[in-house]
Amino acid sequence: MLRSHSLPILLLTLALVTLSFSPLSPAEDKKDAPLRGAWLLTLKDNTSAEDLQIQMVKILSDSHFMFAFYNAQTQQFFSAGGGTYTYVDGRYTETIAFHTIDPNLAGRSLTFDAKVDGDQWHQSGDINGGDINEVYQRIDDGTGSDLIGTWAQESYIDDRGKTKRFSKKNKKLKILSATRFQWVEYNAKNGKFVAAGGGEYALQNDGYVETLHFFSPDSTIVGTDVAFNRDYTTTEWHLQEQASRGEENMLGVNEIWSRSDW
């Protein structure tokens, strides 16, 4: 059993470690972009993620990544971060754009030894004088959905149908693999964390449905399905919540997102 007083130290260590649409066949695509897709942390320093009582999902596009730590049993959100990455000759480097625990990490780069072996990703290195060894299991290979990649919310539509700018000070970013999504909102000037959410998604007929695995503003809605209209192009995405859950349970989402390099 993980001692409660060591949880913050563990979370920060794990977070530092993590900050550390071509028509190809799946085999060709993995060779071209071996880290693209969604990954689940399964082992850290010879201890299983299950024993650590922490679930971590990491999503990578061709050039960007986003991760989130959360407890799948209690629905407690721990931390999130993201930015850009490179993977060359067995060296994996992340350049941090945002971090919910320590905003001062923004702009810092961390490099690790890394190897993709089938559907496993092995990563090792040194963080602040401590050795780390991690193993991730592939969830999906980041192919098969038109929504795969990185997005930024540009605007929203208010109750009167008027389009308004999302925010003058905050950024809201979203990344999708073939089956998973994560988003985060933070202050672009000081890096202060605002909110985050994520889980699984599916394209169903004319709709887009998210199943929430974590939601930092309100963990009570974790596990629910949220349906949206399926309205997007290659560069713009209108994310409007459908009324299938009943008006009293709706989040009131009516947002305009654009493809983004952050």
Side-chain angles (χ1 to χ4, degrees), residues 21 29 36-39 59-61 138-149 175-181 199-203 208-209:
F21 300 99
D29 198 62
R36 182 196 299 159
W39 298 84
I59 301 174
L60 294 92
S61 67
R138 184 184 293 279
I139 299 172
D140 67 58
D141 63 4
T143 62
S145 170
D146 295 334
L147 291 170
I148 289 170
I175 188 169
L176 294 94
S177 68
T179 61
R180 298 296 183 110
F181 75 95
E200 299 179 61
Y201 79 93
L203 300 178
Y208 163 84
V209 180

Side-chain angles (χ1 to χ4, degrees), residues 153-156 164-167 170-172 185:
Q153 186 180 348
E154 303 293 341
S155 58
Y156 69 96
K164 296 186 176 181
R165 181 179 175 180
F166 165 62
S167 175
N170 290 353
K171 275 192 174 183
K172 192 173 182 181
E185 181 180 348

Side-chain angles (χ1 to χ4, degrees), residues 28-50:
E28 291 173 323
D29 198 62
K30 284 184 182 180
K31 183 178 180 181
D32 179 63
L35 290 176
R36 182 196 299 159
W39 298 84
L40 177 69
L41 179 68
T42 60
L43 195 67
K44 174 174 173 54
D45 300 331
N46 298 316
T47 303
S48 71
E50 183 178 0

